[in-house]
Amino acid sequence: MHKKDLQRTPLYDIHRRYKAKMVPFAGWEMPVQYSGIIDEHKTVRTAAGLFDVSHMGEIFITGEKALEAVQLLITNDAAKVDVNQALYSPMCYEDGGVVDDLLVYKFSDRQFMLVVNAANREKDLQWMRERVGSLAEVEDRSGETSLLALQGPLAQTILQKLTPVDLDTLKYFWFTEGRVNGIDCVISRTGYTGEDGFELFVSGEQVVELWEALMTAGKELGLKPAGLGARDTLRLEASLPLYGHELSAEISPLQAGLKRFVKFDKETFIGKEALLKEYEEGVSQKLVGFEMVDRGIPRSRYLLFDIDGNELGIVSSGSFAPSLNKNIGLGFIKNIGMQPGDELMVGIRGKHLKARLVKRPFYARKK
Amino acid sequence: MIPKNLKYSKEHEWVKEENGIVRVGITDYAQEALGDVVFVELPEVGDSFAAGEAFGSVESVKAVSDCYMPVSGTVKTVNEALLESPELVNEDPYGKGWMIEIEPDNKEELEELMSAAEYEEYLATLEEGDE
């Protein structure tokens, strides 16, 4: 895609001012880094980082049968969440492959917001209209909605300075409508970094003001802007799946280790039959985490082998992990009962280098 | 930051000739474009490469990038400090971040490399293409 065809978030000029390196991502021109990926990553783990994730899509499902529509689309159980609660779920095709993974926000019995990946927004919209358009209204509000993620152990302290909402009472995966620096927001205690934090949905017209207010409030606490590069290393350490890597039309949620988000006790959902069959027969491949023993960095699509050189599978994501000071990866291997501690080899540019399976997540914050 | 006393390749390596030995590294522009360098792969002492051939690689958090021989030659020394401290490539690309020292096969190849002024012009053409 040519650079002139890329979309820009309302924060584009701000990113330039903060000396971001801008890159094309999912049709958007987005900041990949500011001070440096490692610095931003460590800042999120020890203080807080502010991410512009306005490229994410917000699709509203509205109507008397909104719950029925959502229940049909997702594998998790939206009937179990209350108003003001959020839920993570895959959204599957009939064959069990994944259309997208998303967050479901319940605004009322008749209105849900689905937050989807930027790269999948149009495909998702089409899929939802096709499958549940007759049950409920499917409305894309991505264009007018911006999204900031304030993530890190000091996120609450920073946000509390600017909002009358008592954040102590806002639990993980709950949200509320409230003001931040006088600006109407949906304040959600969610994130994609493995740290405590908040995501703030706000009108595109007010996101610049909100960003500046947060940066000012967080300055003395070490808040820094953070880009998509750090977002990726943070989510990888926390072993959170990324669509296109750990999930795709060819990879089922069961293979990706997301069984707990697939509720077979639900009466029906798209993909149930195929997933139930796969569950009963056993998955052919499964997601594992590994760390390098030899010197080398695993990267997406490198092949995995057993110690005798037989092909086992493929790397889905890999990187240097700044908080662990190790080179780590996620990958899919044949389901042959390998366990954490077992050794395998990664094909890295012509060489087989040793790695070891480890328990996921690689990183978990102290609660 | 383009030191005047070095020569440069289009692949953003710099070379410094001293007493018949040529020291090679990557330029400030290259390290800036890569971002945080977290891994450097270097050749063995005694390996020979033709000009333009990959002699090693540098990896940032996001990407792998090959390093190319600016001139043909045989590797005499490698900067082993980079194995433990790859960040030296970012911190001091023209100094402690050097990569290898080679004995060139043909010193005339050095003449084909760019001067600091020429490299600066070359970078300006790249940045124009960027906009």
Side-chain angles (χ1 to χ4, degrees), chain A residues 259-317:
Chain A
K259 165 74 174 61
R260 67 187 183 284
F261 303 108
V262 179
K263 305 297 188 193
F264 289 125
D265 54 358
K266 248 170 64 171
E267 193 181 316
T268 180
F269 61 85
I270 300 167
K272 182 178 177 183
E273 208 171 308
L275 288 170
L276 196 56
K277 182 164 181 278
E278 185 181 35
Y279 180 62
E280 282 164 356
E281 289 175 359
V283 291
S284 58
Q285 58 170 2
K286 64 171 209 171
L287 187 71
V288 292
F290 61 90
E291 61 183 40
M292 295 304 296
V293 176
D294 287 338
R295 281 171 37 83
I297 303 176
R299 303 280 182 186
S300 179
R301 292 198 288 278
Y302 288 0
L303 295 179
L304 296 168
F305 302 88
D306 66 18
I307 47 172
D308 298 319
N310 304 303
E311 199 173 313
L312 274 181
I314 191 162
V315 177
S316 53
S317 295

Side-chain angles (χ1 to χ4, degrees), chain A residues 22-38:
Chain A
M22 305 299 288
V23 297
F25 179 82
W28 292 78
E29 192 173 359
M30 296 298 291
V32 65
Q33 64 166 70
Y34 305 80
S35 57
I37 294 174
I38 294 176

Side-chain angles (χ1 to χ4, degrees), chain A residues 21 38 295 299 349 351, chain B residues 32 36 41 59-61:
Chain A
K21 198 180 282 183
I38 294 176
R295 281 171 37 83
R299 303 280 182 186
R349 280 168 293 128
K351 290 182 200 154
Chain B
E32 180 71 36
D36 295 329
E41 191 179 25
E59 295 195 39
S60 66
V61 179

Side-chain angles (χ1 to χ4, degrees), chain B residues 16-35:
Chain B
K16 182 183 182 186
E17 192 203 351
E18 234 170 40
N19 306 322
I21 293 295
V22 170
R23 186 175 268 202
V24 181
I26 68 168
T27 65
D28 186 53
Y29 175 89
Q31 70 79 18
E32 180 71 36
L34 275 165

Side-chain angles (χ1 to χ4, degrees), chain A residues 3 16 21 32-33 35-39 228-229 232-233 295-299 302 318-320 322 327 348-349 351, chain B residues 31-42 56-66 82-84 130-131:
Chain A
K3 200 168 171 178
R16 297 298 293 242
K21 198 180 282 183
V32 65
Q33 64 166 70
S35 57
I37 294 174
I38 294 176
D39 181 58
L228 294 185
D232 191 40
T233 53
R295 281 171 37 83
I297 303 176
R299 303 280 182 186
Y302 288 0
S319 176
F320 171 70
N327 295 321
I348 299 184
R349 280 168 293 128
K351 290 182 200 154
Chain B
Q31 70 79 18
E32 180 71 36
L34 275 165
D36 295 329
V37 172
V38 292
F39 188 77
V40 178
E41 191 179 25
L42 296 171
S57 60
V58 283
E59 295 195 39
S60 66
V61 179
K62 292 298 282 180
V64 190
S65 187
D66 282 327
L82 298 185
L83 304 180
E84 284 307 311
D130 214 29
E131 283 307 310

